Amino acid sequence: MAFAAPKADAKAKPELAAAKAADKAKPAEAKGKAAAPTISVEKKGSYVYWFTYKDVDGVQQATLPVRFKGKSADIDTKALGEKFSSAKLFVMNKSTGNLAISDYPPGKSVDLGADDFQYVRTVRLRIVAEDGKPIESAVVRITDGMNAKMSALVTPADEGVATFANVASGEATVKVEAEGLRKTIDSDIEVPDKRDTPDYERDVKVAGDVNTIAVKPKAAGQAGQKPERGGGLSAILQTLAGFIVLVIIIAVVVIVLKARGVTSKSALQGLGVELPGDASGQVAPGLPQGPAIDPSVCQFCGQRKDANGNCSCSVVPGVGPAAAPGAGAPGVPRLVGSQGVYAGHIFEITSASMVMGREADNPIPLPNDTTASRRHATISQADGGFSIRDEGSSNGTFVNGAKITEQKLSPGDEVQIGGTKFRFEV
């Protein structure tokens, strides 16, 4: 007896059709075709990217830089090979020269914000003695803005220059080790995130009996210098054009002065140039006289100074107008700003040791003076007197015009911190 094959369930046909349609609609990555990873940046611009990595033999390698424009690009990982490790992605903003550096997870996209571009590709620190001559040999160690520690060797062939790569911008510390070196003067530097050039260079001054070298200027045509085509003729034409423009400017100035009845003598006198007097020792008639300056009047507010030469316009930061110097607590030592950023400000010395500098938390804060270091100097009281000590500031501390490391203070001494001169009073 023959048996007929069972008929397919009519309800199953629509389900099979739906499954086939769903399979066709699956994305490429679900079918084994992964989408290419991308680089995304916050600001549209022109960029280049590359990788550093270790190959299958553990040798450090780098890929050829790839350019892209806009805000995103597919990442080409073919140059990395099939087996690699410790890959890092470098992306440079061509307009600023700043770098973003990140670990690269294989197959993953990378999103970069504006704050990620904080690295400087090349930083060159020229280590010089106090007379400005480059140091012969040294080991230079830095801690950059991300607290990464780096070191570089300086040899006689380097002409005092220590070179660092991929340095985070911001405040950095520098320590120089060399024979006979006593102190790294510029131990506190700032690596700017905005520069005129992609790299950054500056001098770092050291103190001590160090060996230095005399650097000879390179002659044109030496290795590493390409002579410009037509440079001689171009220089001559530029010099000639500049001379012609200068002659025209001088002629116009002379014509205008004559039209106004101003003589050359009166013009020079107006500029403050001293001219020979007549036989009686007086300035010849007709020459303008400079305005008399009254030393008893404050140059800042126009008020009369007191008997000690102080003015009532002196202020203490964050407090407002201060009382006249004579109205303060008797016998309290203080620094009175006489010139510069903090001219007219008074800082009383109320403890045995007070640090002054750019940090707002200092007992004597100078936040508005960008030429002052974060911890610039310390004023201390000992043995019934006062002294000031430089704390390794970038621009130095001066007493009565002389640069000091540590110096006793006497009433009336002039102390310069950054861009301000103070008078020490007791």
Side-chain angles (χ1 to χ4, degrees):
M1 183 175 178
F3 292 91
K7 294 182 180 180
D9 188 352
K11 294 181 179 180
K13 289 182 179 180
E15 294 177 358
L16 292 173
K20 290 181 180 180
D23 184 63
K24 290 181 180 180
K26 287 182 179 179
E29 47 269 44
K31 297 180 180 181
K33 296 180 180 179
T38 60
I39 300 173
S40 298
V41 295
E42 185 175 334
K43 293 185 177 180
K44 185 177 181 180
S46 182
Y47 299 85
V48 294
Y49 75 87
W50 67 91
F51 291 96
T52 61
Y53 65 99
K54 290 183 179 180
D55 62 17
V56 67
D57 297 321
V59 179
Q60 189 73 21
Q61 303 283 1
T63 64
L64 187 68
V66 179
R67 295 183 295 173
F68 74 92
K69 291 184 178 182
K71 298 182 67 174
S72 65
D74 291 340
I75 300 176
D76 184 3
T77 60
K78 295 178 182 178
L80 293 172
E82 295 183 358
K83 294 184 179 180
F84 61 89
S85 62
S86 303
K88 285 186 177 293
L89 174 64
F90 294 74
V91 183
M92 176 180 283
N93 185 328
K94 292 174 65 176
S95 64
T96 64
N98 289 345
L99 280 170
I101 304 175
S102 66
D103 294 328
Y104 175 66
K108 301 291 184 180
S109 295
V110 177
D111 293 329
L112 299 173
D115 293 340
D116 293 320
F117 289 84
Q118 58 179 314
Y119 292 90
V120 181
R121 176 61 179 165
T122 304
V123 171
R124 299 182 185 88
L125 301 181
R126 184 172 177 264
I127 314 303
V128 298
E130 292 182 282
D131 60 1
K133 293 182 180 179
I135 195 170
E136 181 185 73
S137 303
V139 174
V140 184
R141 307 184 193 278
I142 67 171
T143 303
D144 68 8
M146 293 294 289
N147 285 326
K149 299 182 184 299
M150 309 177 189
S151 64
L153 181 67
V154 176
T155 70
D158 300 315
E159 297 182 348
V161 177
T163 303
F164 301 89
N166 306 326
V167 179
S169 59
E171 294 182 346
T173 58
V174 182
K175 182 178 180 181
V176 181
E177 299 175 5
E179 182 181 358
L181 185 140
R182 187 178 74 255
K183 179 182 179 182
T184 303
I185 297 176
D186 298 327
S187 59
D188 184 8
I189 68 172
E190 182 84 15
V191 179
D193 57 356
K194 294 182 180 180
R195 307 170 304 281
D196 294 332
T197 58
D199 55 2
Y200 177 65
E201 298 182 3
R202 68 157 288 165
D203 287 356
V204 172
K205 189 172 291 187
V206 298
D209 187 16
V210 294
N211 296 322
T212 58
I213 58 176
V215 179
K216 297 180 180 179
K218 294 182 178 180
Q222 281 188 326
Q225 295 182 335
K226 295 182 179 180
E228 298 181 0
R229 295 183 179 179
L233 179 59
S234 176
I236 293 174
L237 292 177
Q238 290 180 2
T239 303
L240 182 59
F243 179 74
I244 293 174
V245 171
L246 180 60
V247 170
I248 293 174
I249 292 174
I250 293 174
V252 171
V253 171
V254 171
I255 293 172
V256 171
L257 291 177
K258 285 186 175 181
R260 295 182 178 182
V262 179
T263 65
S264 59
K265 286 186 177 181
S266 62
L268 291 173
Q269 187 72 18
L271 292 174
V273 178
E274 294 185 2
L275 298 176
D278 56 16
S280 62
Q282 302 295 325
V283 178
L287 292 181
Q289 303 293 323
I293 299 176
D294 187 350
S296 64
V297 176
C298 177
Q299 60 177 318
F300 301 104
C301 66
Q303 300 181 40
R304 288 278 177 182
K305 299 179 182 178
D306 64 9
N308 294 324
N310 300 311
C311 179
S312 60
C313 71
S314 300
V315 295
V316 179
V319 177
V332 177
R334 59 188 181 176
L335 291 174
V336 179
S338 58
Q339 294 182 29
V341 180
Y342 285 90
H345 290 63
I346 298 175
F347 298 96
E348 291 187 346
I349 303 170
T350 56
S351 62
S353 179
M354 297 184 69
V355 179
M356 56 195 309
R358 200 174 68 245
E359 283 188 350
D361 294 337
N362 287 327
I364 301 179
L366 306 172
N368 297 331
D369 193 342
T370 58
T371 60
S373 295
R374 292 175 299 173
R375 291 173 57 87
H376 197 108
T378 300
I379 294 183
S380 303
Q381 181 178 12
D383 300 329
F386 290 86
S387 63
I388 185 167
R389 180 179 67 253
D390 183 80
E391 297 294 347
S393 63
S394 298
N395 295 317
T397 301
F398 297 81
V399 175
N400 297 327
K403 190 173 185 180
I404 59 95
T405 301
E406 187 168 3
Q407 175 74 37
K408 289 185 177 180
L409 292 176
S410 300
D413 281 350
E414 180 187 76
V415 177
Q416 181 172 350
I417 302 293
T420 304
K421 290 183 179 180
F422 297 94
R423 183 175 63 256
F424 178 67
E425 297 181 356
V426 177

